[in-house]
Amino acid sequence: MVSSGLFCVEKDNYPQGSKYSRRSPPINVLEFQSLLAHHDLKSWVLPTSTSHQQSTSYKSGIPVLVCLPGALKPTKLQVPTAVGSSVCLNSAPTGFLIDRSSTCLRLLVDLVSSCNTSSALSLVSFTKMSIVRNPGNFTSCSNIDDLVEVQLSHPILVSPHGLLSSASTDNPLEFEPTSQHGHCLYTVFELHYTVMVGSEGVLGATALAVLGSVPLNATSLWQHFSIRYSMGDLQLKQRLSGNPGYIIGQPIVGAYSGRNGSVLVLLPPAGLSVAAPPPPGNCELAAKSRRMVNFKEDMRSGCVIRSPPASCRLLLQMVCLALFGNQPPNLIARFGNSLPSHMHDWLPVPLNQVECYARAEVAAVGKCDKTSCSLPLSAELRLMWDRVGSLDNPQFKLLEASLHYGPLECIALNNSWQPLLVTTTVTFIEIVRQAAPAYRVAPQLDVRLPSDLFFPFMQSWAEKKMGSWSVVILAIFLHVMVTQRKG
């Protein structure tokens, strides 16, 4: 009976439900097993063993293992960081899938003698190593199949005057610290790791270094280190650029062509980009300040070279570095979720500094004098795309990528130096017009009839017309005759 929010029970057909017995909890395994047998609850299972099974793959947060040259056993990947103070701490292992960035102070002692021997300043000590692909399948550092070598991008060189340029080689042995003219050259200023991971462990790793010079009488140096993990397997992280076609406003997916024809996918912010330095827009900062290229968003960006370089070769390096970045991707995905295993889903992109150098050097023959440089100060990247699929749900797909340089200009290296504007343009071109729904055309009868089918009807119609015209002509003739008689 229910009335005005009051619930009443007229008859209790289960008296035992009103009585609650107080029982003590089981204190041992035998009592617990007797309760299991009494209640017949099969879902309660006692642990049979307390031993912890070793993880067979990397888990988030556990240290990443690396093998140093000549070592038989792996060690932990250590990225210097500042802990408790601003001084760099070298013994700081990094956790798997945990991005980290730190700036710390490196104390220098007797740099005159330690410039060539200090491992904290040498690029080789940070990049000459291999990462263990999967700790569960790892056997020994001598097994190359279990290791992924860290690939060094072309280092960025900082001159004593603050000018940035890109090195033409990626061999770390060529950038060992050395003492010259009162400075310790090729000292590590910045180091950025990028580790590509997948369902089978580590897929690849790259390192980008910024090297500079330090006076031999310096006592400290600020260094910046970072490590970033990117998903190279679509099974681990859903791609944000489309499924399958690109989404307007999402970044273009870029990649490197790895060894044995493999593809190493670079998710943002390491994909296709253009220079976007902060004000006042110096090209010296364009190598580290980039803007992602988003699908179907035309853009035009650039920077200004204000300080005159020492040589034409250095000026050409600065221009090519501003146009394409330090190491641009040489592949872009046709779709927003192109798989790394499908090579036909990737387009080659002619973005590289070697081609930029070669184009300028070949075109400069016979055009500029010895005191001038022939430079391509602009470049346009054209991305052709189309719609595929149904009209109700079309998918955007990239079909072709082409690069077009602007006209070469002769730039004089003299005292009357003028700032140079270097621009990059990205244009999206739809090469096929979107299909439009058509209206249904009315059916037409295509029947062939005999030529004399309507002959009787046409003859009677002609006779009738001829008779009516005869009456009209006779009336006009009588009217003329009557008019003449009256006259």
Side-chain angles (χ1 to χ4, degrees), residues 65-271:
L65 302 180
V66 296
C67 288
L68 301 178
L72 298 178
K73 295 183 179 180
T75 184
K76 298 177 181 178
L77 176 60
Q78 298 178 353
V79 179
T81 184
V83 179
S85 64
S86 58
V87 181
C88 293
L89 177 65
N90 295 328
S91 58
T94 177
F96 185 68
L97 293 182
I98 298 179
D99 298 346
R100 193 174 71 186
S101 178
S102 62
T103 301
C104 57
L105 183 65
R106 180 73 63 181
L107 301 180
L108 306 177
V109 179
D110 191 11
L111 195 58
V112 176
S113 58
S114 63
C115 174
N116 303 336
T117 59
S118 177
S119 60
L121 306 179
S122 175
L123 179 62
V124 176
S125 61
F126 292 105
T127 58
K128 201 65 176 179
M129 58 183 174
S130 300
I131 301 180
V132 176
R133 186 185 304 273
N134 194 330
N137 302 330
F138 181 73
T139 57
S140 173
C141 286
S142 59
N143 191 357
I144 304 178
D145 296 335
D146 296 338
L147 303 177
V148 175
E149 185 178 356
V150 177
Q151 298 181 0
L152 178 65
S153 305
H154 299 303
I156 299 176
L157 305 180
V158 183
S159 66
H161 303 287
L163 298 178
L164 273 71
S165 62
S166 178
S168 58
T169 179
D170 54 0
N171 185 9
L173 298 178
E174 298 184 8
F175 300 101
E176 279 293 284
T178 178
S179 300
Q180 290 183 6
H181 307 293
H183 286 78
C184 182
L185 304 180
Y186 304 132
T187 302
V188 175
F189 281 9
E190 299 182 16
L191 191 65
H192 307 275
Y193 295 102
T194 301
V195 182
M196 281 72 72
V197 299
S199 58
E200 299 180 356
V202 177
L203 301 179
T206 59
L208 172 62
V210 179
L211 307 178
S213 60
V214 180
L216 295 179
N217 57 357
T219 58
S220 61
L221 169 67
W222 287 100
Q223 292 180 321
H224 182 71
F225 300 91
S226 69
I227 183 170
R228 185 181 62 88
Y229 294 87
S230 65
M231 301 300 178
D233 193 339
L234 295 178
Q235 297 178 356
L236 294 182
K237 184 176 181 180
Q238 184 180 4
R239 198 67 51 82
L240 299 179
S241 293
N243 187 23
Y246 275 103
I247 300 176
I248 299 177
Q250 295 299 326
I252 299 297
V253 181
Y256 295 137
S257 55
R259 299 178 180 178
N260 301 326
S262 60
V263 176
L264 301 180
V265 179
L266 299 178
L267 295 179

Side-chain angles (χ1 to χ4, degrees), residues 12-85:
D12 188 3
N13 57 358
Y14 186 68
Q16 293 83 357
S18 302
K19 299 178 182 180
Y20 300 94
S21 59
R22 189 179 294 272
R23 295 178 58 90
S24 59
I27 59 176
N28 52 39
V29 178
L30 295 178
E31 292 185 7
F32 189 75
Q33 289 180 346
S34 63
L35 289 176
L36 289 180
H38 177 70
H39 294 282
D40 193 22
L41 298 178
K42 302 298 182 181
S43 61
W44 293 356
V45 180
L46 293 176
T48 57
S49 176
T50 58
S51 62
H52 177 69
Q53 298 180 355
Q54 185 179 3
S55 176
T56 59
S57 61
Y58 281 115
K59 302 297 181 182
S60 178
I62 68 174
V64 179
L65 302 180
V66 296
C67 288
L68 301 178
L72 298 178
K73 295 183 179 180
T75 184
K76 298 177 181 178
L77 176 60
Q78 298 178 353
V79 179
T81 184
V83 179
S85 64

Side-chain angles (χ1 to χ4, degrees), residues 344-383:
H344 60 275
D345 279 349
W346 297 88
L347 288 172
V349 184
L351 300 178
N352 58 80
Q353 298 181 7
V354 177
E355 182 180 350
C356 181
Y357 299 156
R359 175 180 174 82
E361 291 177 353
V362 172
V365 177
K367 290 188 177 182
C368 300
D369 54 16
K370 296 182 179 180
T371 61
S372 302
C373 294
S374 178
L375 301 174
L377 297 182
S378 62
E380 180 184 7
L381 178 62
R382 299 175 184 176
L383 300 176

Side-chain angles (χ1 to χ4, degrees), residues 389-407:
S390 62
L391 292 176
D392 296 336
N393 186 23
Q395 302 296 315
F396 299 126
K397 174 184 179 182
L398 292 178
L399 299 181
E400 186 180 351
S402 60
L403 181 66
H404 303 269
Y405 289 94

